[in-house]
Amino acid sequence: MSLGSASEVIGPKAAGPAVRDGGGGGIEQIVVTSNEDKDKQISITNSVAAFLYYESILQDACRATVTFTDTGGSVDDKSALEGLPIVGQENVLIKVRDNNDNELKMTLYVNAVSPLVEDTNKSIVQLDLASKEFIKNEKVRINTRFNGKISEHVKKILEDPMYLGAEKEHDIEETANEQNCIGNNKKPYYMINWLSRGAVPKDGSLGNTAGYFFWETVDKFHFKSIDSLMDTETNRPKKSYLYNETPDTDGQNLPDGYDDKALDYSVGNRVNIQDKLKMGAYSTRIIIFDPYNCRYKVETPNAGNTPGSDSSSKGNEKDLKLAGKNLPVLNSEFNQTQPGREFSRTTFYVQDVGALPSGSGEGEDQEQIEKSKKENYEPAVVLNQGIQRMNQLFALETTVTIPGDFSLHAGDAVYVDAPQLNESKKNMDVNHQTGGNYIISDVCHYLSAKHTLTKLNLIRDSVGRKPKERR
């Protein structure tokens, strides 16, 4: 769909205070419940100085911080910290709203209490808040065995009351590959992240790509492949922003096709060639030893982003879903001319043939014996492909500050344009190298009595601006 529809967000107005009766800047409700007596509660809504809410695709749980003024007489003629008291794990009900009527409603729990300033009349206190599963993760260990698809393992860890027992919805992308494993006394979040490195999306890309992200937003848990996040077809931009130095009043100078203007903008090329080569972002080698027959094989996945490179290699960019047009093109002067020598990182792996075969070990079928020659984890088509894909991310990183928009979450795609550098002050051509589709890696919503703002860290794996499309 084209971006020609009218915007619901009107210029810098949404960055101003969202003062409501009985509340601060868009803060409708923040209520803390005592651990000792569930009927004892205190509302700190009117005393909040600042509220920040965070989500990140690199973070297992959503987090928040509340800074408020704690005065005597709040509870039983005592301060909130003493009277409730607030010691940790207290239930905190939060409801906030931006100027476009997007609401965030959540229940978080006190993870840490930090008195910042204190005198005889009042104290300023900061509460570090986290989701229920974040705290529960510290009290759960996984010792059971998992058979089958990786996506089913993640679903079980999230849903099963023995583990996290999460009540939130979850968006789990099905994986193509299976992996039998044992928890080995690991925590749930550790187990999920360990599994995510070798997960392959179910779209025929086995051997070309691997790697998933696991993160939490206000309403869901997500387990999504890198390729599905970067794919402009499956993850189309939710909003489109323009940054320029033209003054704007209520969106009057906003060109057609954009939802709003960015208040602040910075872009950086994150490609450090030495670091990328060390980590195997574009070319790797894997040596695999099979203890069953004492043979070894060598695979060299290659992104194919060097002129003259092999375009049929596994992991080639033509088989990947990219947010931009192409991966950064590297200098062909550094190509290795000898066959099989084009790699910058080597990994070694001993195949786990016959390890943890699923099925019955008794009776006439003897399924486990039949599968004793089957490889459990397929490193030739998973391991280095995941290494490459993970390290191709963050090729471009953009940071924008926009009027508060609580409809945006980590993992969403947005479109960002800025003008090209040009001698002419009237230049309106957009930058076709850094502009275009990005994924929100981190989002922070900030509210105070004066401002309602959203700050986004945006990433993508490639350069070049694709045409604008959106959901």
Side-chain angles (χ1 to χ4, degrees):
M1 162 177 167
S2 171
L3 272 173
S5 58
S7 168
E8 295 180 3
V9 182
I10 306 300
K13 182 188 86 170
V19 179
R20 301 174 186 278
D21 293 339
I27 301 169
E28 297 187 345
Q29 188 178 28
I30 299 183
V31 178
V32 186
T33 301
S34 170
N35 290 336
E36 299 177 5
D37 182 357
K38 299 300 182 184
D39 293 327
K40 184 183 288 188
Q41 297 179 329
I42 180 172
S43 172
I44 60 173
T45 308
N46 294 334
S47 57
V48 171
F51 173 79
L52 293 92
Y53 171 76
Y54 309 91
E55 293 175 357
S56 173
I57 63 173
L58 302 175
Q59 186 171 279
D60 300 321
C62 54
R63 305 289 294 272
T65 59
V66 179
T67 304
F68 70 100
T69 303
D70 188 13
T71 57
S74 300
V75 182
D76 299 334
D77 294 326
K78 299 178 181 178
S79 67
L81 288 188
E82 295 180 73
L84 205 58
I86 301 177
V87 296
Q89 292 191 353
E90 284 79 14
N91 177 307
V92 183
L93 177 62
I94 300 168
K95 186 188 295 185
V96 295
R97 192 182 299 271
D98 66 18
N99 276 359
N100 297 288
D101 216 31
N102 296 307
E103 181 185 79
L104 289 179
K105 185 176 181 181
M106 68 199 89
T107 299
L108 300 177
Y109 295 80
V110 177
N111 182 55
V113 184
S114 304
L116 302 179
V117 178
E118 190 167 359
D119 57 33
T120 56
N121 297 318
K122 67 180 184 302
S123 64
I124 299 177
V125 181
Q126 181 173 285
L127 301 181
D128 174 40
L129 310 177
S131 62
K132 183 177 184 178
E133 292 76 17
F134 174 85
I135 296 176
K136 191 173 181 181
N137 178 68
E138 300 300 322
K139 304 184 69 174
V140 176
R141 297 295 184 274
I142 299 177
N143 291 301
T144 51
R145 169 175 166 161
F146 296 88
N147 294 327
K149 289 189 175 182
I150 292 174
S151 51
E152 291 301 314
H153 304 343
V154 174
K155 183 178 180 181
K156 183 175 178 63
I157 292 171
L158 284 175
E159 291 182 346
D160 198 317
M162 288 178 57
Y163 310 130
L164 291 178
E167 299 175 358
K168 280 186 177 181
E169 295 181 12
H170 45 253
D171 181 10
I172 298 177
E173 182 183 345
E174 185 178 358
T175 58
N177 56 328
E178 301 180 357
Q179 183 176 358
N180 298 344
C181 57
I182 298 175
N184 289 327
N185 210 39
K186 302 299 183 184
K187 297 177 185 179
Y189 283 165
Y190 179 94
M191 191 72 181
I192 292 174
N193 286 304
W194 179 77
L195 289 167
S196 67
R197 82 205 196 288
V200 179
K202 189 183 178 182
D203 61 355
S205 54
L206 186 66
N208 291 308
T209 186
Y212 273 55
F213 282 117
F214 170 73
W215 75 97
E216 181 185 14
T217 59
V218 68
D219 57 346
K220 288 182 181 180
F221 284 98
H222 303 261
F223 185 69
K224 306 286 286 185
S225 69
I226 296 173
D227 273 34
S228 68
L229 288 175
M230 296 295 152
D231 189 356
T232 53
E233 293 296 323
T234 59
N235 191 18
R236 292 186 176 182
K238 201 171 185 178
K239 293 288 179 71
S240 182
Y241 298 97
L242 175 68
Y243 177 80
N244 59 27
E245 297 179 357
T246 305
D248 186 271
T249 304
D250 291 335
Q252 293 179 7
N253 294 318
L254 188 68
D256 291 339
Y258 294 96
D259 289 290
D260 207 349
K261 293 186 68 172
L263 305 175
D264 190 30
Y265 168 88
S266 65
V267 62
N269 186 323
R270 309 297 294 179
V271 178
N272 181 304
I273 288 297
Q274 182 184 36
D275 290 344
K276 290 291 186 183
L277 293 179
K278 281 181 180 179
M279 298 306 296
Y282 306 117
S283 57
T284 64
R285 176 179 67 166
I286 181 170
I287 300 174
I288 305 168
F289 177 72
D290 186 347
Y292 187 84
N293 54 26
C294 294
R295 294 179 180 174
Y296 78 93
K297 60 181 176 180
V298 179
E299 297 283 352
T300 54
N302 194 299
N305 57 333
T306 301
S309 58
D310 183 9
S311 62
S312 63
S313 172
K314 292 179 179 178
N316 191 276
E317 66 174 328
K318 67 180 180 61
D319 298 315
L320 304 176
K321 307 296 184 182
L322 302 176
K325 286 188 174 182
N326 51 264
L327 296 176
V329 178
L330 302 183
N331 194 334
S332 59
E333 289 183 30
F334 297 93
N335 286 1
Q336 295 293 324
T337 56
Q338 296 180 355
R341 300 296 297 176
E342 181 56 47
F343 59 88
S344 62
R345 177 178 175 177
T346 300
T347 55
F348 300 87
Y349 197 91
V350 178
Q351 289 181 321
D352 51 355
V353 176
L356 301 175
S358 58
S360 171
E362 300 179 357
E364 296 180 358
D365 293 335
Q366 294 288 319
E367 292 177 318
Q368 290 185 339
I369 294 178
E370 291 179 3
K371 296 179 180 180
S372 62
K373 299 179 183 179
K374 184 179 179 181
E375 187 178 9
N376 178 35
Y377 182 69
E378 300 178 280
V381 295
V382 170
L383 182 60
N384 280 31
Q385 285 80 350
I387 290 173
Q388 282 194 173
R389 204 69 183 101
M390 288 286 187
N391 286 288
Q392 286 164 3
L393 292 179
F394 302 93
L396 278 178
E397 184 172 349
T398 298
T399 301
V400 297
T401 302
I402 60 174
D405 188 348
F406 298 167
S407 68
L408 297 176
H409 298 282
D412 286 342
V414 295
Y415 207 94
V416 180
D417 272 329
Q420 290 180 349
L421 293 177
N422 195 294
E423 292 181 358
S424 171
K425 294 183 178 180
K426 297 181 180 181
N427 173 48
M428 295 302 292
D429 291 337
V430 297
N431 191 317
H432 289 270
Q433 181 76 355
T434 61
N437 190 59
Y438 285 86
I439 306 303
I440 300 175
S441 65
D442 313 280
V443 58
C444 175
H445 300 304
Y446 170 81
L447 297 97
S448 70
K450 293 185 177 180
H451 300 289
T452 303
L453 300 169
T454 296
K455 189 168 186 176
L456 307 174
N457 285 337
L458 310 174
I459 62 168
R460 72 182 190 198
D461 53 358
S462 45
V463 296
R465 181 179 183 269
K466 287 185 176 179
K468 281 194 286 186
E469 292 183 350
R470 68 175 291 177
R471 306 178 186 179

